[in-house]
Amino acid sequence: SSPIQNIGAYGVEFKQFCLYVDCVDLHSGESVRLGNSDCRFGYRDSIFKHDYQNRYAITGIGLRLPKQWSPVLTYGDLTRLSPDTVTPRQVFDAVCHMRRTKLPDPKEYGNAGSFFKNPVITAQEASALFIHYPDAPRYPQTDGQVKLAAGWLIDRCDMKGHRVGGAAVHRHQALVLINEHNATSEDVVKLAHEVRQRVGEKFNVWLEPEVRFIGSVGEVNAVETIA
C-alpha cells in the first residue's frame, strides 16, 4: 500500500527511496515493473489512485537507500536536534515521543491516523494568508507552492474536542478524528464536513481527506462525500 499513498512522515516520503514497483496486470495476468517516474508520485498520491486503480495489483517494491545516513530534521521536535551531532537513535526516540504525546492510541480510540491532507496552495495565496496569520507553519515546495499544516488550521478554528455523535476531533492532535463513543460512519462524515467547512470559511483553504472512503458498493469520492 505504500506506493499507492506515497506514504510519508516527518519530512520524508516513500518516493524519495522507491526504485521500482512490481505489479500484475489484472486483465492480462502479465507482470509489469514500473520505475519511479512511471508511478507519478505526488503528495499522498500516485498513479495507482487514478489511471491504474482498477488495472494493477502491486506485488512488490524496490527501495534504494543511501549508504551514508543523512538526518532529515525539518519537522516538529526534530528541528531542535543538531544535524552535526544527532544520532539515528535520537531521531528514533524523538519521533516515538511525538507520536506518543500527540496521536491517540488505537487500542483506546479507533482512528485512521491523519484524516486530512496538509493542503498545498500557491505562493500568492500563501502570501495573502500569512499577512493575517504570520505564525502559520509553512513548508515551501520545490515547485514554488506552499504546504500548510492542516492540524494547525483546524486547531485555530477551535475544533479540538469538537464532537458529532460518537466521533470527535482529537484533543491533542486536531488532524486526527477519533471514534470516541460508538461512532457511526455517518457521524464521521458529518464531523469531517463540519471541520472542512469551518476551515474553509475562516482561511479560504478547503481540506481534502487523506483517508479513502468505502461505500456499500466500493470506493466513493471522499471530497464529494464531505462537501
Side-chain angles (χ1 to χ4, degrees):
S1 62
S2 52
I4 298 173
Q5 184 77 347
N6 182 26
I7 60 172
Y10 308 108
V12 177
E13 289 184 319
F14 174 82
K15 69 177 181 180
Q16 296 170 244
F17 305 102
C18 176
L19 183 60
Y20 62 81
V21 177
D22 285 337
C23 309
V24 170
D25 189 314
L26 297 176
H27 300 295
S28 68
E30 178 186 2
S31 295
V32 179
R33 173 165 290 184
L34 302 176
N36 186 298
S37 60
D38 299 323
C39 298
R40 299 185 198 169
F41 291 123
Y43 174 59
R44 300 299 177 271
D45 196 28
S46 74
I47 197 170
F48 302 107
K49 278 191 171 183
H50 308 289
D51 298 28
Y52 294 168
Q53 181 175 8
N54 299 313
R55 179 176 174 182
Y56 289 128
I58 296 173
T59 58
I61 59 172
L63 301 177
R64 175 179 285 160
L65 304 176
K67 292 183 177 180
Q68 184 64 40
W69 180 68
S70 178
V72 178
L73 308 174
T74 58
Y75 184 93
D77 295 350
L78 297 178
T79 60
R80 303 173 187 171
L81 303 175
S82 170
D84 298 324
T85 59
V86 68
T87 66
R89 182 71 200 194
Q90 289 174 322
V91 173
F92 175 85
D93 289 340
V95 168
C96 289
H97 175 73
M98 282 190 286
R99 296 188 70 83
R100 283 195 304 269
T101 55
K102 295 182 179 180
L103 298 178
D105 184 344
K107 295 179 181 178
E108 183 178 6
Y109 295 114
N111 69 89
S114 299
F115 194 91
F116 296 99
K117 296 179 183 179
N118 288 321
V120 179
I121 60 178
T122 66
Q124 183 177 3
E125 292 170 331
S127 297
L129 178 69
F130 298 148
I131 290 175
H132 301 286
Y133 304 96
D135 61 331
R138 77 279 317 257
Y139 307 94
Q141 304 297 290
T142 55
D143 60 0
Q145 298 191 100
V146 180
K147 182 191 295 183
L148 306 177
W152 185 91
L153 298 173
I154 300 169
D155 188 15
R156 290 305 181 275
C157 292
D158 298 320
M159 297 208 73
K160 280 184 176 178
H162 183 73
R163 184 169 169 175
V164 173
V169 178
H170 188 49
R171 289 174 175 77
H172 300 297
Q173 173 51 274
L175 193 54
V176 179
L177 305 187
I178 63 173
N179 180 356
E180 192 168 61
H181 182 68
N182 297 326
T184 65
S185 57
E186 186 177 357
D187 293 339
V188 175
V189 169
K190 287 182 177 180
L191 177 60
H193 168 77
E194 290 189 12
V195 170
R196 185 173 190 267
Q197 286 298 122
R198 193 84 65 87
V199 170
E201 291 167 2
K202 185 177 180 70
F203 298 103
N204 195 30
V205 174
W206 297 90
L207 301 179
E208 297 183 5
E210 181 173 324
V211 300
R212 299 168 69 181
F213 284 21
I214 308 299
S216 58
V217 294
E219 186 169 3
V220 296
N221 187 295
V223 174
E224 292 179 358
T225 303
I226 69 170

